[in-house]
Amino acid sequence: MNIAQLNKLRWILIGLLLATANFIQAQNATEIVKKADSHMQGKSSQGIMIMTIVRPKWRRTVEMKSWSKGKGFSLILIKKPVRDKGSGYLKRGKEMWNWLPKVGRVVKMPPSMMNQSWMGSDFTNDDLVRQSSIVVDYTHKILGSETLEGRDCYKVLLTPKPNAPVVWGKVEMWISKKDYLQLQSKMYDEDGYLVNTMRGSKIKNLGGRVLPSYMEMIPADKPNQKTVLEYKQMVFNKPISDGFFSVQNMKRVN
């Protein structure tokens, strides 16, 4: 083999090594996001949450119950305030409905509403019912390591897959290395501008799992404005039938 052939072989081997390294890195990043998502969701979950919308001149508190199963099913029932009591939000597969007991109507929500504010908060409809999946709808890449809440974290870049039903142009996520806690997410629009930052804190045992119990959603362009979601109670992996997540049950669950 002459020198030219040796050089050609060397570059081929370097290319193969880089391709293999990138593939392994991508696989590792996806596995990290998958473990973090599974730790937060479980096979199923039930919970009680308090949402506080903070604005410069007012604040509003909403108490709710939630049920979820896998990626396909989610149900949220509003308990307080009285004016919203009984309202429900249901997700089955890629479809979503809103039950409005005051007017006795069920409204099917189009995909275009997924990026709209949920009940006037800084969370979107998609944030609450998780129509999109941080595991399935994005590709993943480890950007580095940083410390948050005293925990060493992976910083992971999530980039939407083509035609994925997602709201954001990209997401940066900080996930603790030891216990796969989602401690911070920065959501950017399609032009690369930061829109929201979500921070998790007050880590404690919820339903047998160590989790952030206090989530703040902070808009980048609205000073003194945020929405806080506090998890008061959680139960994981308690069996729930698929039939529980029906339009009819959304009207009568309590």
Side-chain angles (χ1 to χ4, degrees):
M1 185 177 293
N2 58 37
I3 293 177
Q5 289 173 320
L6 282 171
N7 283 336
K8 184 178 180 181
L9 179 60
R10 182 186 302 162
W11 284 112
I12 290 173
L13 289 173
I14 289 172
L16 286 172
L17 286 171
L18 288 174
T20 302
N22 288 336
F23 176 75
I24 292 172
Q25 205 269 2
Q27 290 294 95
N28 289 340
T30 299
E31 194 61 27
I32 290 165
V33 173
K34 188 176 181 180
K35 286 181 178 178
D37 191 50
S38 176
H39 185 72
M40 188 69 189
Q41 302 301 322
K43 293 180 180 177
S44 70
S45 68
Q46 303 175 40
I48 297 175
M49 300 174 285
I50 305 291
M51 181 175 74
T52 303
I53 304 168
V54 179
R55 298 292 182 263
K57 295 184 179 179
W58 56 269
R59 64 173 55 202
R60 184 161 70 96
T61 299
V62 178
E63 182 178 327
M64 65 190 97
K65 294 178 72 174
S66 70
W67 299 261
S68 70
K69 182 179 180 181
K71 298 298 178 190
F73 302 101
S74 178
L75 177 59
I76 295 174
L77 172 70
I78 305 301
K79 301 292 288 183
K80 295 179 182 177
V82 172
R83 69 177 187 182
D84 297 317
K85 185 176 181 180
S87 298
Y89 296 82
L90 170 70
K91 170 197 168 186
R92 282 184 66 95
K94 297 294 183 183
E95 297 181 302
M96 183 175 172
W97 295 265
N98 178 202
W99 163 237
L100 302 167
K102 280 189 176 179
V103 294
R105 288 186 58 198
V106 174
V107 178
K108 189 171 183 179
M109 302 175 70
S112 59
M113 289 187 68
M114 286 300 104
N115 64 348
Q116 294 186 10
S117 168
W118 188 71
M119 296 194 71
S121 74
D122 298 299
F123 289 95
T124 64
N125 291 311
D126 188 73
D127 292 327
L128 268 292
V129 300
R130 296 183 178 84
Q131 185 191 49
S132 61
S133 166
I134 60 173
V135 177
V136 175
D137 294 320
Y138 292 86
T139 60
H140 314 94
K141 179 182 180 182
I142 299 173
L143 297 178
S145 298
E146 292 183 11
T147 300
L148 288 179
E149 296 291 318
R151 284 170 157 80
D152 190 17
C153 296
Y154 297 107
K155 182 180 177 182
V156 182
L157 174 65
L158 285 69
T159 304
K161 293 179 180 176
N163 303 317
V166 301
V167 172
W168 307 115
K170 68 173 182 179
V171 178
E172 293 174 341
M173 188 171 287
W174 284 254
I175 298 170
S176 65
K177 294 181 179 180
K178 181 179 178 182
D179 35 23
Y180 297 96
L181 306 180
Q182 297 177 49
L183 295 179
Q184 181 169 272
S185 295
K186 288 182 177 288
M187 287 77 96
Y188 297 82
D189 65 18
E190 292 181 347
D191 296 320
Y193 290 101
L194 178 64
V195 178
N196 284 329
T197 298
M198 187 166 70
R199 294 175 182 155
S201 60
K202 299 184 182 180
I203 297 165
K204 64 181 184 182
N205 191 309
L206 285 166
R209 298 183 178 208
V210 176
L211 293 168
S213 65
Y214 191 90
M215 309 296 290
E216 293 177 291
M217 185 68 86
I218 305 167
D221 61 346
K222 297 172 182 172
N224 305 316
Q225 178 172 316
K226 66 179 179 180
T227 299
V228 177
L229 196 61
E230 294 181 80
Y231 292 86
K232 295 297 184 182
Q233 180 181 324
M234 293 294 290
V235 176
F236 292 99
N237 299 332
K238 183 178 179 180
I240 312 175
S241 70
D242 292 358
F244 178 87
F245 300 93
S246 67
V247 172
Q248 291 305 314
N249 195 48
M250 177 173 59
K251 299 176 182 177
R252 58 176 180 251
V253 70
N254 56 46

